[in-house]
Amino acid sequence: MLDRIFSNRISNLGLIFILLLYFTCWWFYKLNVLPGLHGDEAWVGLKAHDYQTQPIDRLSGMTYYTGILQSLVAQLSFKLFGIGVYQLRVPGAIVNFLSLIVIVSTFLYYKFYKEAVLFLSMLAASSLYVISARIAWEVNTFTLFFLAISFSSLIAIYTAVNKKRLLWVCLFWLANIFGSYNHIIYSCIGVAGFLGLLLWAVQRGAILNSKLLVLSGVNVFNVAAIFLLQRYNLNFIYLHLSYLPIYLVVLMFLEVLIYYRFSDTSVTIGFLPLKFNYFFTSILGLTFVFYHGVGFFDVLSQYKFILEAYSYECSLVFQTIFAIGAGLFAFFGARLLVNDLRASPTENTIFAYIVVCYLALLALYTTKNSLRYYLVIYAILCFYMAFKLDRKSRTLKIFIGSQLLTIILINAALLDVFTHDPIAVRAVDFRIGNGQEETSSAFLPKKPILDFLKNNHISKINYMCYPYFVEQPIKFYKLVSPWSESKNDSALIDYDYLKYGSGFLLIKSK
């Protein structure tokens, strides 16, 4: 049955349309209400508002390893639609949807209908991707977009004749430059691509195309330069900001010259015994499992991101089914990787080596288990598995069934949240990964606080909790819709971890 569905073009197009509609609903509906405005989002909004009246004062975001693209798109949104939470978040939803359009268009152009359906289905079965586009963080907004450009460019480079590759080569490099600037963790995929390519060639005794090697090597140089600039001398670019387009054009020109200087020849890079192959790739895989295995399984288990974003506590039944789905996803992904790593040298298994290298390199970039750090690895696994899953395999029914059940449960939880808004909640602390503490308090809806402050004309707030995640949203809301204040009225604010209600303790004081 599955084989008939996947081989039917009309059925595939219908499923693709339904899945795109699915993302549209969850990325745009009640965007200004749920989840509650996070402190980091509010910081971005305040910075974007400053940019409307003041020149850019920095090229780094909240940290040295993030850029200001999020603030710039928020500034554009404010300029076009006015200031507000919806306007702050809608660029993320739009950019992510455009990313899906780019990816799907690429799949359809090359007639990868089954792959398009599987990719969208796996993305739809991820609470991380269903929810993250609603949160105005730089990784949430641009990760899928730069992956989409890189994916489409690589396929075009691989299939285009030599004279038509120029645009795609430049797009690939630029996507990685801006992706790495947006958040340096994105550069991990570029480094993994280069190392995976070399590892595949060494392990297989394979012949590499020289242009592919140069393409990947130049990309690593670019992302390494971005890291060094961000870490040590980003101010240099800031002082010469007006010349940035010229720098980029000159850089692309020089790198294209290097790229075309190498003819389409073949390069052989050594050979290592098969035993070393198994040993080395096992070490790489175990490195990921040790540092990020539990954290990534938490992503696959879905409910912790639902808990973090909406303070929604899934039942034990839901958690168990989610865990089974996570186990099946991990099992199928691992099995496909192992099969490729054990495949004969004549088979094209480069992607598997790139994935394994990414898994290991992630631990060098960070040992933290923040859920958003797994956006890239989940997406590239979806790309990989979409191409590798055999539509004629009997076990594919089990995998697709688990994904459909996961989608149903995610929707059941989210519909409960959205249709019963405001839902009674409490602040919840929980652990992810290797014992890292996370909390749902930062995403609690702020309307109860705002109503309390407005009704009581509060001018001074004393925070019993860490103030940032409440104070920043209040500043942003006050900018959007100020209220009259009484100098004599103050309030105490804290999170409520015990009883269900607004999630806050709000006390008026003198």
Side-chain angles (χ1 to χ4, degrees), residues 109-129:
Y109 182 81
Y110 294 101
K111 295 181 171 56
F112 296 137
Y113 300 112
K114 180 265 294 185
E115 289 79 3
V117 173
L118 285 175
F119 176 82
L120 290 176
S121 299
M122 286 184 279
L123 223 60
S126 169
S127 63
L128 181 65
Y129 267 95

Side-chain angles (χ1 to χ4, degrees), residues 141-376:
T141 298
F142 292 104
T143 292
L144 190 61
F145 177 74
F146 291 122
L147 279 175
I149 300 300
S150 298
F151 166 71
S152 300
S153 299
L154 280 175
I155 292 185
I157 292 168
Y158 184 76
T159 57
V161 296
N162 194 44
K163 292 182 180 179
K164 295 182 179 180
R165 289 180 188 169
L166 177 61
L167 173 63
W168 298 112
V169 167
C170 291
L171 273 178
F172 175 74
W173 284 334
L174 287 171
N176 281 271
I177 287 172
F178 283 103
S180 301
Y181 164 71
N182 182 60
H183 196 296
I184 198 61
I185 203 169
Y186 184 90
S187 66
C188 184
I189 185 62
V191 179
F194 180 68
L195 295 181
L197 190 64
L198 293 179
L199 182 60
W200 175 79
V202 170
Q203 301 288 359
R204 297 288 172 188
I207 296 174
L208 276 177
N209 180 276
S210 60
K211 284 190 178 295
L212 181 59
L213 196 59
V214 172
L215 177 78
S216 185
V218 169
N219 188 49
V220 170
F221 168 80
N222 289 339
V223 299
I226 290 295
F227 169 75
L228 293 174
L229 284 170
Q230 285 184 298
R231 184 68 181 88
Y232 299 107
N233 200 21
L234 195 59
N235 191 50
F236 171 80
I237 296 181
Y238 170 68
L239 293 174
H240 303 83
L241 188 59
S242 59
Y243 298 104
L244 182 59
I246 298 176
Y247 293 152
L248 287 174
V249 169
V250 171
L251 178 67
M252 289 295 104
F253 176 75
L254 292 175
E255 292 181 345
V256 165
L257 285 181
I258 294 172
Y259 178 78
Y260 278 101
R261 186 172 181 82
F262 285 82
S263 57
D264 246 334
T265 57
S266 298
V267 180
T268 303
I269 306 178
F271 179 73
L272 288 174
L274 199 57
K275 290 182 179 179
F276 184 85
N277 177 15
Y278 296 152
F279 174 76
F280 193 69
T281 53
S282 296
I283 293 297
L284 294 178
L286 289 173
T287 301
F288 173 79
V289 171
F290 181 79
Y291 288 105
H292 290 287
V294 179
F296 187 54
F297 192 82
D298 285 336
V299 169
L300 299 179
S301 299
Q302 314 304 337
Y303 69 90
K304 287 194 176 179
F305 199 67
I306 297 173
L307 175 62
E308 181 180 29
Y310 299 118
S311 291
Y312 185 86
E313 299 172 74
C314 292
S315 68
L316 184 59
V317 173
F318 272 42
Q319 292 183 35
T320 302
I321 297 174
F322 278 141
I324 294 172
L328 287 172
F329 186 97
F331 169 76
F332 276 91
R335 191 177 73 169
L336 290 172
L337 286 171
V338 170
N339 287 344
D340 271 357
L341 297 175
R342 296 175 61 188
S344 65
T346 57
E347 295 188 36
N348 190 345
T349 57
I350 294 176
F351 204 167
Y353 282 87
I354 293 173
V355 171
V356 171
C357 283
Y358 183 92
L359 293 175
L361 284 171
L362 185 61
L364 293 179
Y365 275 75
T366 180
T367 56
K368 292 184 178 180
N369 298 136
S370 295
L371 297 176
R372 64 186 181 277
Y373 289 168
Y374 300 109
L375 282 164
V376 172

